[in-house]
Coordinates of all heavy atoms in Angstrom, one line a residue:
I28 N 12.5 0.9 -44.4 CA 13.1 -0.4 -44.7 C 12.2 -1.5 -44.2 O 12.0 -1.6 -43.0 CB 14.5 -0.5 -44.1 CG1 15.4 0.7 -44.6 CG2 15.1 -1.8 -44.4 CD1 16.7 0.8 -43.8
R29 N 11.6 -2.3 -45.1 CA 10.8 -3.4 -44.8 C 9.7 -3.1 -43.9 O 9.4 -3.8 -42.9 CB 11.6 -4.6 -44.3 CG 12.5 -5.2 -45.4 CD 13.2 -6.4 -44.9 NE 14.1 -6.2 -43.9 CZ 15.4 -5.8 -44.0 NH1 15.9 -5.6 -45.2 NH2 16.2 -5.6 -43.0
G30 N 9.0 -1.9 -44.1 CA 7.9 -1.5 -43.2 C 8.2 -0.9 -41.9 O 7.3 -0.5 -41.2
R31 N 9.5 -0.7 -41.6 CA 9.9 0.0 -40.4 C 10.3 1.4 -40.9 O 11.3 1.6 -41.6 CB 11.1 -0.7 -39.7 CG 10.6 -2.0 -39.1 CD 11.7 -2.8 -38.5 NE 12.4 -2.1 -37.5 CZ 12.0 -2.0 -36.2 NH1 10.9 -2.5 -35.8 NH2 12.8 -1.3 -35.3
I32 N 9.6 2.4 -40.4 CA 9.8 3.8 -40.9 C 10.3 4.6 -39.8 O 9.7 4.7 -38.7 CB 8.4 4.4 -41.4 CG1 7.8 3.4 -42.4 CG2 8.6 5.8 -42.0 CD1 6.3 3.6 -42.6
T33 N 11.5 5.1 -40.0 CA 12.1 6.0 -39.0 C 11.8 7.4 -39.4 O 12.0 7.9 -40.5 CB 13.7 5.8 -39.0 OG1 14.0 4.5 -38.8 CG2 14.3 6.7 -38.0
V34 N 11.2 8.2 -38.4 CA 10.8 9.5 -38.6 C 11.3 10.4 -37.5 O 11.3 10.0 -36.4 CB 9.2 9.6 -38.6 CG1 8.7 11.0 -38.9 CG2 8.6 8.6 -39.6
N35 N 11.8 11.6 -37.9 CA 12.3 12.6 -37.0 C 11.2 13.6 -36.8 O 10.9 14.5 -37.7 CB 13.6 13.2 -37.4 CG 14.2 14.0 -36.4 OD1 13.9 13.9 -35.2 ND2 15.2 14.8 -36.8
F36 N 10.4 13.6 -35.6 CA 9.3 14.5 -35.4 C 9.8 15.7 -34.7 O 10.8 15.7 -33.9 CB 8.3 13.8 -34.5 CG 7.5 12.8 -35.3 CD1 7.8 11.4 -35.2 CD2 6.4 13.1 -36.0 CE1 7.0 10.5 -35.8 CE2 5.7 12.2 -36.7 CZ 6.0 10.9 -36.6
E37 N 9.2 16.9 -35.0 CA 9.5 18.2 -34.4 C 9.6 18.2 -32.9 O 10.6 18.7 -32.3 CB 8.4 19.2 -34.7 CG 8.4 19.7 -36.1 CD 7.3 20.7 -36.3 OE1 6.1 20.3 -36.2 OE2 7.6 21.9 -36.6
H38 N 8.6 17.6 -32.2 CA 8.5 17.7 -30.8 C 8.7 16.4 -30.0 O 8.5 16.3 -28.8 CB 7.1 18.3 -30.4 CG 6.8 19.6 -31.1 ND1 7.5 20.7 -30.8 CD2 5.9 19.9 -32.0 CE1 7.0 21.7 -31.6 NE2 6.0 21.2 -32.3
C39 N 9.1 15.4 -30.7 CA 9.3 14.1 -30.1 C 10.7 13.5 -30.4 O 11.1 12.6 -29.7 CB 8.2 13.2 -30.6 SG 8.2 11.5 -29.8
G40 N 11.3 13.9 -31.5 CA 12.6 13.3 -31.9 C 12.4 12.2 -32.8 O 11.3 12.0 -33.4
K41 N 13.4 11.3 -32.9 CA 13.4 10.2 -33.8 C 12.6 9.0 -33.2 O 12.8 8.6 -32.1 CB 14.8 9.7 -34.0 CG 15.0 8.8 -35.2 CD 16.4 8.6 -35.5 CE 17.0 9.8 -36.2 NZ 18.4 9.5 -36.7
V42 N 11.7 8.5 -34.1 CA 10.8 7.4 -33.7 C 10.7 6.4 -34.8 O 10.7 6.8 -36.0 CB 9.3 7.9 -33.4 CG1 8.4 6.8 -33.1 CG2 9.3 9.0 -32.4
V43 N 10.8 5.1 -34.5 CA 10.6 4.1 -35.5 C 9.2 3.6 -35.4 O 8.7 3.2 -34.4 CB 11.6 2.9 -35.2 CG1 11.4 1.8 -36.2 CG2 13.0 3.4 -35.2
I44 N 8.5 3.7 -36.6 CA 7.1 3.3 -36.7 C 7.0 2.0 -37.4 O 7.6 1.7 -38.4 CB 6.3 4.4 -37.5 CG1 6.5 5.8 -36.9 CG2 4.9 4.0 -37.7 CD1 5.8 6.0 -35.7
D45 N 6.1 1.1 -36.9 CA 5.8 -0.2 -37.6 C 4.7 0.2 -38.6 O 3.6 0.4 -38.3 CB 5.3 -1.2 -36.6 CG 4.9 -2.5 -37.2 OD1 4.9 -2.6 -38.4 OD2 4.6 -3.4 -36.4
G46 N 5.1 0.2 -39.9 CA 4.2 0.6 -40.9 C 3.0 -0.4 -41.1 O 2.1 -0.1 -41.8
E47 N 3.1 -1.6 -40.5 CA 2.0 -2.6 -40.6 C 0.9 -2.2 -39.7 O -0.2 -2.6 -39.8 CB 2.5 -4.0 -40.3 CG 3.6 -4.5 -41.3 CD 3.0 -4.8 -42.6 OE1 1.8 -5.3 -42.7 OE2 3.6 -4.4 -43.6
R48 N 1.2 -1.4 -38.6 CA 0.3 -1.1 -37.6 C -0.2 0.4 -37.6 O -1.4 0.7 -37.2 CB 0.9 -1.3 -36.2 CG 1.3 -2.8 -36.0 CD 1.9 -3.1 -34.7 NE 0.8 -2.9 -33.7 CZ 1.0 -2.9 -32.4 NH1 2.2 -3.0 -31.9 NH2 0.0 -2.8 -31.6
I49 N 0.6 1.3 -38.1 CA 0.3 2.7 -38.1 C 0.4 3.2 -39.5 O 1.4 3.0 -40.2 CB 1.3 3.5 -37.2 CG1 1.3 3.0 -35.8 CG2 0.9 5.0 -37.3 CD1 0.1 3.2 -35.0
D50 N -0.6 3.9 -40.0 CA -0.6 4.5 -41.3 C -0.3 6.0 -41.1 O -1.2 6.8 -40.7 CB -1.9 4.4 -42.1 CG -2.1 3.0 -42.6 OD1 -1.1 2.4 -43.1 OD2 -3.3 2.5 -42.6
L51 N 0.9 6.4 -41.5 CA 1.3 7.8 -41.3 C 0.6 8.6 -42.4 O 0.2 8.1 -43.4 CB 2.8 7.9 -41.5 CG 3.6 7.3 -40.4 CD1 5.1 7.3 -40.8 CD2 3.4 8.0 -39.1
I52 N 0.4 9.9 -42.1 CA -0.3 10.8 -43.0 C 0.7 11.7 -43.7 O 1.3 12.5 -43.1 CB -1.3 11.7 -42.2 CG1 -2.3 10.8 -41.4 CG2 -2.0 12.7 -43.1 CD1 -3.1 11.6 -40.4
P53 N 0.8 11.5 -45.0 CA 1.8 12.3 -45.8 C 1.3 13.8 -45.9 O 0.1 14.0 -45.9 CB 1.9 11.7 -47.1 CG 0.8 10.6 -47.2 CD 0.2 10.5 -45.9

Side-chain angles (χ1 to χ4, degrees):
I28 301 170
R29 291 186 295 275
R31 293 177 55 85
I32 306 159
T33 303
V34 182
N35 191 15
F36 287 98
E37 287 178 295
H38 306 295
C39 182
K41 196 173 285 189
V42 178
V43 178
I44 305 288
D45 181 352
E47 297 292 319
R48 300 181 67 187
I49 305 290
D50 285 324
L51 294 170
I52 303 166

